[in-house]
Amino acid sequence: MTSFSLSQTLLLVLSAVGSVSAGVDNWLSPQYKWTYQFPLPIPPVKAPSKTIVNPVTGKNILYYQVEIKEFKSQVYPDRGQATLWGYDGISPGPTFMVEKGTETVVRFVNNARLANSVHLHGSFSRAPFDGWAEDITPPGWYKDYYYPNSQAARTLWYHDHAIDHTAENAYYGQAGAYILHDPAEDSLNLPSGYGVYDIPLILSAKQYNGDGTLFSPASETTSLYGDVIHVNGQPWPYLKVEPRKYRFRFLDASISRSFLLYFERDAKQGTKLSFDVIASDAGLLTGPQRVSELYISMAERYEIVVDFAAYKGENVTLRNSRDVGADNDYPDTDKVMKFIVSGTSVNDPSSLPSSLRSVPFPPTKSQVVDQHFKFERSNGEWKINGVSFADVTNRVLARPKRGTVEVWELENSSGGWTHPIHIHLVDFRVKKRVNGKRSVLPYEAAGLKDVVWLGPGETVTVEAYYAPWDGVYMFHCHNLIHEDHEMMAAFNVSVLEDLGYDETHYIDPMEERWRAKQQSVEAFDDGKIEERVKEMAGYRPYDKVEEVESVLGEYWETKTKSVVVPTVTTIPTTTFATVVPTSTSAGGSTTSVKVSTTSFKTSKTSSSSSTKTSSTSTTKKKD
């Protein structure tokens, strides 16, 4: 076990005290006096409950069960406990470790205070399993989510996506890592061993009340930046490391705060250390990008390799810059965590290749912009092209044809605010940044992403391949306060009638057969679980993905040569009612019924959606 040297201990104490710069706001929370005094927690690995054989493919499906429930956390040693609600009663939730090609079904059981919806962020899940905001699971209910896990190795994460209170659920603990491995990445000999040399660093920023309880974001309408920085749920932790290479998987799970991270030797403050960015949201980059600082905004993931060999016996601090975007600075928001480097040399068998992979960038197309979206604040409301998610008649803002590439311009016209924009289903290439403080950064250009940060007044151009599935998906600002206040819209990847695949039971995210169900003893019987998983697999949601991608390529090549316009027809409007619990405070909830109407473009309807109602109703939360 690594011990602290006298010089390390002295530097640890001095750096924890620090100083407050001009222009920094005072503490909102009680001052936290234990900076770098507690070790970094490592989220446990989630084990599957059972393995079920897919009746179609004969391959194994891993079945997991996750309970969303309340728990207590002692954040301040000298104050009361904070009440949280998280996956399996911890925050961050347990880490899923899945091999590429192994399908999973995860049953999320809601025993918490508010309704939930789960989004596996970074997965090209079918629409009913993607966490559509109105596809909620009320307390006392459960939903089975079916995931493909057929993309390249990457750091995904699962988090809440429930209409109107995503920020509350995520802030109170509903977020966790989901790591997808594949043999190609494993062969690179990068630092490995979950929690040892390959470590998730899940960032968040929160605010606390005087009694140690968590300040609620329920009444916030703009942002909640937080003045207490957490890593893996612990404020300003430390980690003992060996003088060798480590792989860190960064995830910004904050609801409003962005970071500009850098490493600094305590013995030589003011000098930023170099490190290598090796992966972004959608997996490995083409090659390592050597940098000395890293921008990361809400929902973005970046993986880095840091070599501590040159800092044997020293302390290294991970810091955050001041004046990042529109964020408010507080006394200690320029600190993140401390690394205590052992003074004992070790053998390091890991390597960092100069080439990591051939990134599957979207096929090149003309520079014509297919869609232009303006993210703006108008009369106190957060909107996209003047439309809010509550405007169900107009919220489908784009209809890309399945298997085509589109270029989207994302414009931030909301004054001094910033917006991390997430487009579901796809991985995109960041092509251009204009009217901001920076150009496309090397670690943005060398890989694919699913979130891109829009600085104040900035316009970013992205290019994506809208495949492999058709269906209706969301795109939105990932400042969760903005998302909850309607800065969210939808796009419809249209069904191609003549493609030869009838998959209309997956195009509607509110398809009744995939909706949440009320908890019962019978539903959790082993036989019933296996029956349900096999029923889901029988619809073959994912086993044809490689075939579909190949057919899509051939389809559009043929259409281009023959100049035939594919047939896309419009179906009748689908109307549904959603039970929507809305929070009245951190300690309670009420329930309302929201009736929604949305139109989809497809080849045909699948099954009719029934409606659910509740015995109590209140009006929806307003700005």
Side-chain angles (χ1 to χ4, degrees):
M1 182 174 178
T2 306
S3 60
F4 296 92
S5 68
L6 179 62
S7 59
Q8 283 179 306
T9 303
L10 179 59
L11 286 169
L12 193 65
V13 172
L14 291 175
S15 62
V17 174
S19 60
V20 177
S21 304
V24 175
D25 294 339
N26 292 324
W27 286 91
L28 299 175
S29 305
Q31 182 177 357
Y32 191 84
K33 303 174 184 177
W34 301 271
T35 306
Y36 312 140
Q37 299 304 304
F38 291 94
L40 174 77
I42 304 296
V45 174
K46 181 69 176 178
S49 302
K50 60 176 74 250
T51 300
I52 299 169
V53 176
N54 187 315
V56 177
T57 66
K59 296 180 179 180
N60 288 337
I61 299 173
L62 299 182
Y63 170 81
Y64 298 83
Q65 199 161 287
V66 175
E67 182 184 7
I68 306 170
K69 60 183 179 180
E70 187 174 297
F71 66 100
K72 301 290 186 180
S73 177
Q74 189 71 55
V75 179
Y76 284 82
D78 63 344
R79 297 171 192 263
Q81 294 181 316
T83 298
L84 307 176
W85 45 90
Y87 300 116
D88 281 349
I90 57 175
S91 180
T95 298
F96 287 77
M97 304 281 284
V98 183
E99 294 296 323
K100 179 181 178 180
T102 302
E103 295 178 349
T104 55
V105 172
V106 185
R107 174 169 292 185
F108 287 94
V109 184
N110 188 359
N111 289 325
R113 302 183 183 188
L114 301 174
N116 78 283
S117 177
V118 182
H119 174 49
L120 180 54
H121 189 131
S123 170
F124 57 29
S125 305
R126 292 284 195 171
F129 310 125
D130 188 55
W132 179 260
E134 291 162 329
D135 179 27
I136 61 160
T137 302
W141 292 52
Y142 70 92
K143 173 162 174 163
D144 297 324
Y145 288 83
Y146 197 159
Y147 298 131
N149 307 312
S150 54
Q151 295 157 289
R154 61 186 62 194
T155 300
L156 305 92
W157 66 303
Y158 61 107
H159 63 84
D160 187 71
H161 217 299
I163 187 75
D164 294 338
H165 53 252
T166 294
E168 286 173 87
N169 280 341
Y171 184 77
Y172 276 92
Q174 290 179 47
Y178 189 110
I179 298 173
L180 187 60
H181 285 277
D182 69 27
E185 182 185 279
D186 293 342
S187 69
L188 296 174
N189 196 36
L190 295 164
S192 62
Y194 175 81
V196 183
Y197 303 115
D198 181 350
I199 299 175
L201 298 179
I202 301 175
L203 309 176
S204 60
K206 300 184 181 183
Q207 181 180 333
Y208 290 87
N209 299 313
D211 60 358
T213 58
L214 195 57
F215 177 86
S216 174
S219 61
E220 296 295 322
T221 59
T222 55
S223 291
L224 196 160
Y225 297 113
D227 57 351
V228 179
I229 304 299
H230 297 64
V231 188
N232 294 354
Q234 171 62 46
W236 295 290
Y238 72 83
L239 177 66
K240 295 179 180 180
V241 296
E242 298 170 356
R244 54 154 290 166
K245 291 187 288 297
Y246 281 74
R247 178 179 187 170
F248 296 120
R249 298 174 185 259
F250 283 114
L251 157 64
D252 185 358
S254 307
I255 63 171
S256 297
R257 181 171 289 282
S258 299
F259 295 84
L260 178 54
L261 301 172
Y262 65 96
F263 292 87
E264 181 182 70
R265 292 171 62 191
D266 287 9
K268 192 176 181 181
Q269 295 184 10
T271 301
K272 297 178 180 179
L273 307 180
S274 295
F275 57 92
D276 291 283
V277 184
I278 62 167
S280 57
D281 304 336
L284 291 173
L285 308 180
T286 54
Q289 304 297 308
R290 177 58 62 97
V291 297
S292 59
E293 58 185 19
L294 174 72
Y295 277 99
I296 184 168
S297 192
M298 294 78 83
E300 287 188 298
R301 288 90 66 213
Y302 283 107
E303 300 175 34
I304 69 170
V305 170
V306 180
D307 193 345
F308 292 105
Y311 316 115
K312 186 169 62 175
E314 296 187 28
N315 293 347
V316 174
T317 301
L318 176 63
R319 302 188 67 101
N320 179 37
S321 300
R322 299 289 192 188
D323 194 27
V324 178
D327 297 10
N328 290 339
D329 289 323
Y330 299 100
D332 281 355
T333 52
D334 62 337
K335 304 178 180 71
V336 179
M337 67 177 291
K338 183 80 67 179
F339 297 90
I340 312 300
V341 187
S342 167
T344 304
S345 297
V346 297
N347 177 52
D348 182 3
S350 68
S351 57
L352 181 60
S354 58
S355 178
L356 296 172
R357 70 160 175 159
S358 176
V359 174
F361 291 112
T364 303
K365 65 169 290 182
S366 68
Q367 295 302 308
V368 174
V369 173
D370 297 285
Q371 305 287 344
H372 183 95
F373 297 112
K374 183 181 292 188
F375 296 82
E376 56 192 339
R377 184 165 169 81
S378 176
N379 297 321
E381 296 182 347
W382 301 102
K383 294 185 175 183
I384 305 174
N385 283 4
V387 176
S388 67
F389 196 68
D391 185 354
V392 296
T393 303
N394 299 304
R395 67 185 179 189
V396 178
L397 297 183
R399 292 175 171 82
K401 295 181 177 63
R402 184 182 187 182
T404 61
V405 175
E406 286 202 355
V407 175
W408 290 12
E409 275 187 349
L410 311 174
E411 177 188 343
N412 181 1
S413 295
S414 58
W417 301 99
T418 65
H419 304 292
I421 305 304
H422 174 40
I423 305 175
H424 286 228
L425 178 66
V426 300
D427 301 331
F428 56 73
R429 185 175 195 169
V430 181
K431 300 281 288 184
K432 183 169 60 174
R433 289 181 175 276
V434 297
N435 302 326
K437 293 183 177 180
R438 55 185 175 138
S439 57
V440 177
L441 297 168
Y443 46 82
E444 291 181 304
L448 292 169
K449 294 182 54 57
D450 56 47
V451 180
V452 66
W453 189 56
L454 307 186
E458 191 172 40
T459 296
V460 177
T461 304
V462 300
E463 182 178 54
Y465 176 55
Y466 287 83
W469 317 125
D470 43 22
V472 178
Y473 293 85
M474 298 171 289
F475 69 103
H476 56 88
C477 176
H478 225 289
N479 180 323
L480 298 184
I481 305 295
H482 301 177
E483 177 184 325
D484 278 348
H485 289 81
E486 312 291 355
M487 190 173 255
M488 182 161 59
F491 63 95
N492 173 13
V493 182
S494 59
V495 172
L496 302 174
E497 283 187 326
D498 50 347
L499 184 65
Y501 292 87
D502 179 11
E503 301 168 314
T504 52
H505 42 276
Y506 291 121
I507 60 177
D508 184 348
M510 297 292 285
E511 173 71 50
E512 184 62 27
R513 76 186 82 188
W514 311 123
R515 297 294 306 280
K517 302 180 185 299
Q518 196 157 15
Q519 295 179 35
S520 67
V521 173
E522 182 184 22
F524 288 81
D525 175 80
D526 283 349
K528 287 295 183 182
I529 290 171
E530 185 165 344
E531 180 183 317
R532 175 58 172 166
V533 171
K534 288 184 174 180
E535 177 193 4
M536 297 173 78
Y539 283 95
R540 307 183 69 173
Y542 302 119
D543 64 282
K544 294 182 179 179
V545 60
E546 292 182 359
E547 176 185 324
V548 167
E549 290 182 326
S550 176
V551 170
L552 279 170
E554 295 172 0
Y555 176 91
W556 285 110
E557 184 177 358
T558 301
K559 294 297 182 185
T560 301
K561 289 179 179 178
S562 58
V563 200
V564 175
V565 179
T567 304
V568 181
T569 58
T570 305
I571 67 169
T573 299
T574 301
T575 303
F576 49 84
T578 305
V579 182
V580 184
T582 55
S583 173
T584 53
S585 68
S589 66
T590 57
T591 306
S592 65
V593 178
K594 173 187 282 187
V595 178
S596 302
T597 305
T598 185
S599 297
F600 306 116
K601 263 191 174 184
T602 68
S603 60
K604 62 180 77 175
T605 57
S606 49
S607 66
S608 59
S609 297
S610 63
T611 61
K612 292 186 175 72
T613 59
S614 67
S615 58
T616 58
S617 66
T618 62
T619 57
K620 177 190 162 190
K621 178 177 69 180
K622 300 292 185 181
D623 273 34

